[in-house]
Amino acid sequence: MSLVFSKTIKTITALSPFLRSGFAVASDVSPLSRVLSLPAPHNQWTRHEIRELYHSPLMDLLHSAQIQHRRFHSPLEVQLCTLLSIKTGGCTEDCSYCSQSQKHAATTGMKATPLMPVDEVITAAKEAHLHGSTRFCLGSAWREMKGRKSALRRIGSMVKAVNDLGMESCVTLGMVEKEQLEYLKSQGLTAYNHNIDTSREHYPKVITSRTYDDRLNTIRNVQQSGIKACTGGILGLGETEDDHVGFLHTLATLDQHPESLPINRLVPIKGTPLENIEASKKLELDSVLRTIATARLIMPESIIRLSAGRYTMKEHEQFLCFMGGVNAIFTGKKMLTTMCTGWEEDKEMLAKWGMKPMKSFRETESKGLDETVLK
């Protein structure tokens, strides 16, 4: 009797997210089949459950992620996003991967620049729009927005101008308070980016000037303001696969899943503490694919963005990322301070695969997508 009881407890534990969602399934069904049986997204995942999915056979994991993708999105649509650095360098943070930190300026040679004029930003946004980008993102190398009233007003003007072009707008300005978010929302801001970067456990090895909870509090402020949260991380910071699981667990258990989930692949920059990280611990493609595919399974409504470092990936590697659930890329001239694949090259690549740019402000609906795709 005790053996039977023990097995029953183990079965209930393994099925916990599915039981919590009110959708019980047979205990002999694989973790991938169980997650595909869930009727709707939820945010009560455990690390054990995510770890099971992450370590599934890679072929099965990618196949399941593609099924999930087709339930919630059109697999043929990819959003083109462009990122502009509107204020480069001089940041007081000590992020080990970033050339814009004041702490690394002596070795990176990065010089701080003032905030760009509004008209120059509008010109860059018009160029991106002309090339097919439907989300325009503005990045500024600041720790926080506290005390930056004049800069906030100028950025508000930039946001409004981007919206007037019919594009989605996104900004990343560091830590931000509710009052500042209310102003940006009044100017029509679509999304606010604030990455968690990695797992809670690995985070202190990468950044010490801002806590993990600081980042989560900023994301909470964004979501409570009604602005969409864009939050993801960087792979290749010397973390383990269990850190990938922890990173995904943090995002998947937020009160609301991120609207956008950028996955960056570290580009080691000369002069930063992580410039030689690939020599000691190279990030393998299968880890990138497992992270993307697992994210697609547990956060099915999120737009997963293949972001910085994509230019280092071969075309077939990018194709596998799309198969795993990616449905947005950054394209244009530059990714803040690193290289970026150009618009024409990206559009040619997508056309080769039968894919097309996603329209702006598209409302993703899960109903009927399978039927539409199969026609």
Side-chain angles (χ1 to χ4, degrees):
M1 178 64 79
S2 60
L3 180 60
V4 172
F5 181 76
S6 175
K7 287 183 177 180
T8 301
I9 292 298
K10 288 181 180 179
T11 299
I12 292 173
T13 301
L15 293 174
S16 56
F18 311 98
L19 295 174
R20 285 193 297 265
S21 69
F23 194 79
V25 292
S27 61
D28 59 348
V29 176
S30 74
L32 294 172
S33 296
R34 294 200 300 266
V35 74
L36 291 176
S37 299
L38 284 171
H42 72 92
N43 62 350
Q44 300 177 59
W45 297 99
T46 68
R47 284 195 180 217
H48 173 75
E49 293 155 356
I50 295 173
R51 188 178 293 110
E52 272 197 316
L53 295 169
Y54 183 96
H55 289 292
S56 298
L58 187 56
M59 287 288 285
D60 292 340
L61 178 60
L62 290 176
H63 177 67
S64 297
Q66 182 60 204
I67 293 173
Q68 187 79 312
H69 192 125
R70 288 169 180 262
R71 290 178 65 197
F72 292 86
H73 306 271
S74 167
L76 303 180
E77 294 186 359
V78 175
Q79 185 170 43
L80 303 183
C81 316
T82 295
L83 174 60
L84 177 68
S85 179
I86 59 173
K87 194 276 176 195
T88 306
C91 182
T92 56
E93 299 280 14
D94 66 356
C95 307
S96 299
Y97 53 79
C98 186
S99 63
Q100 300 196 66
S101 169
Q102 281 183 354
K103 185 177 180 180
H104 313 142
T107 50
T108 62
M110 176 66 68
K111 295 181 179 180
T113 66
L115 187 64
M116 284 180 67
V118 175
D119 59 343
E120 290 183 17
V121 174
I122 295 174
T123 297
K126 287 180 177 178
E127 182 182 15
H129 182 253
L130 182 66
H131 284 286
S133 289
T134 56
R135 178 172 286 201
F136 196 71
C137 307
L138 311 173
S140 182
W142 285 321
R143 169 181 164 76
E144 60 186 349
M145 285 302 294
K146 189 175 182 178
R148 303 185 189 278
K149 293 183 179 180
S150 176
L152 187 65
R153 287 194 296 271
R154 287 172 64 185
I155 292 169
S157 298
M158 298 173 190
V159 167
K160 187 177 184 303
V162 170
N163 292 341
D164 288 344
L165 291 172
M167 303 172 76
E168 299 173 20
S169 54
C170 182
V171 297
T172 178
L173 312 170
M175 292 184 288
V176 64
E177 298 173 352
K178 292 179 181 179
E179 296 78 11
Q180 297 158 340
L181 287 165
E182 286 299 324
Y183 171 72
L184 292 171
K185 184 180 178 182
S186 74
Q187 300 305 297
L189 183 67
T190 305
Y192 194 97
N193 168 260
H194 198 73
N195 291 337
I196 61 170
D197 286 347
T198 186
S199 70
R200 180 181 287 275
E201 293 78 13
H202 189 65
Y203 184 88
K205 299 176 184 177
V206 182
I207 302 161
T208 64
S209 56
R210 188 192 318 182
T211 69
Y212 207 67
D213 287 317
D214 285 337
R215 291 185 180 266
L216 293 177
N217 186 56
T218 296
I219 295 166
R220 191 175 301 112
N221 287 341
V222 169
Q223 293 185 325
Q224 289 178 353
S225 75
I227 295 173
K228 296 175 180 178
C230 172
T231 179
I234 306 170
L235 306 184
L237 299 172
E239 75 280 359
T240 66
E241 289 193 330
D242 202 52
D243 288 313
H244 295 166
V245 170
F247 158 71
L248 291 171
H249 178 257
T250 297
L251 296 175
T253 56
L254 292 173
D255 290 340
Q256 304 171 49
H257 289 164
E259 177 263 350
S260 301
L261 201 170
I263 297 293
N264 300 275
R265 185 173 186 174
L266 178 71
V267 178
I269 298 174
K270 188 176 181 180
T272 63
L274 293 181
E275 68 171 303
N276 297 315
I277 189 68
E278 285 202 343
S280 59
K281 192 166 187 179
K282 186 177 180 181
L283 176 69
E284 299 295 339
L285 177 63
D286 70 298
S287 293
V288 178
L289 296 176
R290 289 182 182 280
T291 302
I292 289 170
T294 305
R296 173 52 67 215
L297 287 167
I298 61 179
M299 293 172 279
E301 294 181 331
S302 299
I303 301 292
I304 300 180
R305 306 182 185 277
L306 196 56
S307 305
R310 182 172 64 89
Y311 81 91
T312 67
M313 302 176 74
K314 296 176 181 178
E315 193 169 291
H316 72 273
E317 294 176 331
Q318 295 182 53
F319 180 79
L320 288 171
C321 290
F322 285 109
M323 290 295 294
V326 163
N327 55 348
I329 56 175
F330 279 88
T331 182
K333 295 180 177 179
K334 211 169 187 181
M335 285 288 295
L336 296 180
T337 62
T338 61
M339 290 177 60
C340 184
T341 311
W343 289 290
E344 297 308 318
E345 184 179 346
D346 281 332
K347 285 187 286 188
E348 182 180 337
M349 176 182 71
L350 294 177
K352 183 193 305 183
W353 300 336
M355 305 173 82
K356 60 183 179 181
M358 186 186 296
K359 293 181 180 179
S360 184
F361 303 111
R362 179 184 185 278
E363 293 184 4
T364 304
E365 294 186 14
S366 58
K367 264 191 175 180
L369 271 181
D370 285 310
E371 289 78 9
T372 301
V373 169
L374 293 173
K375 284 182 180 178

